Amino acid sequence: MKKIITINHEYGSGGRLIGKTLAEKLGLHFYDKELIALTAQKSGFTEEFVKEAAEKKTASLLYSLYMTSLPISDQLFLAQSQVIKELAAEGSCVIVGSCADYILREERCFKVFVHAPREVRLKRVKEEHDVQDHREFLHKQDKKRTAYYNYFTQNKWGNALDYTLTVDSQIGINTAAECIARAAEAFFA
Amino acid sequence: MKKIITINHEYGSGGRLIGKTLAEKLGLHFYDKELIALTAQKSGFTEEFVKEAAEKKTASLLYSLYMTSLPISDQLFLAQSQVIKELAAEGSCVIVGSCADYILREERCFKVFVHAPREVRLKRVKEEHDVQDHREFLHKQDKKRTAYYNYFTQNKWGNALDYTLTVDSQIGINTAAECIARAAEAFFA
């Protein structure tokens, strides 16, 4: 049976790493940045451009006024949705981010949400990012991610009812991946 | 190390059964209806009365007007809170419902939320309750439980960020208990 696992995660919660570990454990394809590259190719935008635009909710008003068609961010979301649907149609995989849970809502996916308290995530951000104000940086990432998700889906970011399993990553990356693997095994059995 | 696990659950999701299975697996005390009995003894109300009042948010306005002290429901909540704190102080346990997650917010608890789609819960309700309109019955239970939790805590019912782990019970009672046990083991290690 085809196994599609989607993972949404709070910035700095280690959700991407959990997804990667999980994919290795279950021998599944793993899509995250690869997804963006694929989207870029599909939409005709450059990979760099897609990366920057990926978490912006809408283009600026000024830019939009010049556009006669959909705003760039909406065009990108549509292109990305198409890529995600194609990947899911191809076979079992783990997809991190990109509202894949919502885009694949007609499929029977195992949906995961990973989170952690702000201070824990801040610690990870400090280790991984060279920015001036880490707290401000994290705050902005949180706002962007929540706004992006709530704008493009009809769900509300972090609502337990929308997920098969949600987990605080403080239990550990490997333990979280193990729990998800065990639960997904039963879900797809 | 003391292990306190709290479980909130949607009506008919099998959360109580998951809690019981989990407690057996880990060899922990299990509190649910027992809790109500203890509260009853403590507050001086009869067990029957407590049972009926336990999920009412507030007493009727008319009744409240006659009261010079706190409404009955608030008195009960305070008595129940006291019992839960005493149980948690005594040692490791699994506590289902009764806003234990919020009452014990100063303690390092493993917090669980169990849910399932309405149709799945409706099936369980039909098996277990002899009422005329099961759908209406479940709808009322959902409303009562959400209102009770949102009234007595500062959290919002079903918010993933408030829990260490949330799970859709469709993965199975035993699998859910196993996943929680595995995650709790790591959490308390």
Side-chain angles (χ1 to χ4, degrees):
Chain A
M1 192 193 197
K2 198 165 64 176
K3 295 171 188 171
I4 312 281
I5 302 175
T6 66
I7 301 187
N8 290 343
H9 60 111
E10 284 195 305
Y11 198 89
S13 67
R16 195 185 167 276
L17 199 52
I18 289 173
K20 210 165 159 51
T21 310
L22 175 70
E24 278 162 15
K25 258 185 218 302
L26 298 178
L28 303 180
H29 289 289
F30 174 75
Y31 299 112
D32 182 22
K33 286 178 187 162
E34 291 91 320
L35 200 69
I36 294 173
L38 283 164
T39 303
Q41 287 162 20
K42 185 154 195 89
S43 62
F45 301 115
T46 69
E47 195 169 331
E48 274 308 289
F49 180 82
V50 174
K51 227 167 187 169
E52 275 180 35
E55 290 224 329
K56 281 185 190 153
K57 198 172 65 191
T58 47
S60 75
L61 177 63
L62 190 64
Y63 187 85
S64 300
L65 289 174
Y66 280 103
M67 297 286 290
T68 49
S69 60
L70 279 174
I72 288 275
S73 56
D74 292 45
Q75 289 181 49
L76 273 176
F77 185 79
L78 286 177
Q80 200 157 274
S81 300
Q82 195 52 40
V83 173
I84 287 171
K85 281 178 185 169
E86 284 168 16
L87 290 174
E90 270 171 29
S92 300
C93 59
V94 174
I95 307 177
V96 173
S98 308
C99 304
D101 58 318
Y102 183 76
I103 291 159
L104 300 174
R105 62 192 176 281
E106 304 294 331
E107 301 245 1
R108 192 168 175 274
C109 302
F110 188 95
K111 297 173 186 172
V112 178
F113 181 79
V114 180
H115 60 95
R118 189 178 302 263
E119 294 307 311
V120 174
R121 297 187 291 120
L122 193 61
K123 195 165 165 276
R124 189 174 274 113
V125 166
K126 280 180 181 168
E127 286 162 10
E128 293 178 2
H129 294 272
D130 185 22
V131 292
Q132 207 164 16
D133 187 339
H134 289 95
R135 197 170 289 274
E136 174 68 14
F137 174 78
L138 179 58
H139 179 66
K140 277 193 180 155
Q141 296 298 332
D142 281 350
K143 273 186 75 172
K144 274 202 286 188
R145 194 163 287 190
T146 306
Y148 183 83
Y149 187 79
N150 292 349
Y151 177 79
F152 282 113
T153 78
Q154 289 181 36
N155 298 343
K156 206 175 160 300
W157 182 250
N159 180 9
L161 303 188
D162 293 328
Y163 298 95
T164 323
L165 193 143
T166 81
V167 66
D168 183 334
S169 62
Q170 284 183 105
I171 65 167
I173 300 297
N174 204 47
T175 307
E178 269 175 27
C179 288
I180 298 166
R182 175 74 192 88
E185 203 178 274
F187 181 83
F188 291 116
Chain B
M1 189 191 200
K2 198 164 67 175
K3 296 172 188 170
I4 311 281
I5 303 175
T6 66
I7 301 186
N8 290 343
H9 60 112
E10 284 195 305
Y11 199 90
S13 66
R16 195 183 168 278
L17 198 52
I18 288 172
K20 211 166 158 50
T21 309
L22 175 69
E24 278 162 15
K25 258 185 218 302
L26 298 177
L28 303 180
H29 289 289
F30 175 75
Y31 299 111
D32 181 19
K33 285 178 188 162
E34 289 92 322
L35 201 68
I36 294 172
L38 282 165
T39 302
Q41 287 163 20
K42 183 151 196 92
S43 63
F45 301 114
T46 70
E47 196 169 331
E48 274 308 292
F49 180 82
V50 174
K51 226 166 185 166
E52 276 180 32
E55 290 226 328
K56 280 185 190 153
K57 197 172 63 191
T58 47
S60 74
L61 177 63
L62 191 63
Y63 187 85
S64 301
L65 289 174
Y66 281 102
M67 298 284 290
T68 49
S69 61
L70 280 174
I72 289 277
S73 56
D74 292 45
Q75 288 181 48
L76 273 176
F77 185 78
L78 286 177
Q80 201 157 274
S81 299
Q82 195 52 40
V83 172
I84 287 171
K85 282 177 185 169
E86 283 168 16
L87 291 174
E90 271 171 28
S92 300
C93 59
V94 175
I95 307 177
V96 173
S98 308
C99 304
D101 59 319
Y102 184 76
I103 290 160
L104 299 174
R105 62 192 175 281
E106 304 293 330
E107 302 245 1
R108 193 168 173 276
C109 301
F110 189 96
K111 298 172 186 173
V112 178
F113 180 80
V114 179
H115 60 96
R118 189 179 302 264
E119 294 308 311
V120 174
R121 297 186 291 120
L122 192 62
K123 194 164 165 277
R124 189 174 274 113
V125 166
K126 280 180 180 166
E127 285 163 11
E128 293 179 3
H129 293 272
D130 185 21
V131 293
Q132 206 163 17
D133 188 339
H134 289 96
R135 198 170 288 274
E136 174 69 12
F137 174 77
L138 179 59
H139 179 66
K140 277 193 182 158
Q141 296 297 332
D142 281 350
K143 274 185 77 171
K144 273 202 286 187
R145 194 163 287 191
T146 306
Y148 182 82
Y149 187 79
N150 292 349
Y151 177 79
F152 281 113
T153 79
Q154 289 183 37
N155 298 344
K156 206 174 160 301
W157 182 249
N159 180 9
L161 303 188
D162 294 328
Y163 299 96
T164 324
L165 194 143
T166 81
V167 64
D168 183 334
S169 62
Q170 285 183 104
I171 64 168
I173 300 297
N174 204 48
T175 306
E178 268 175 27
C179 287
I180 299 166
R182 175 75 192 87
E185 204 178 273
F187 181 82
F188 290 115

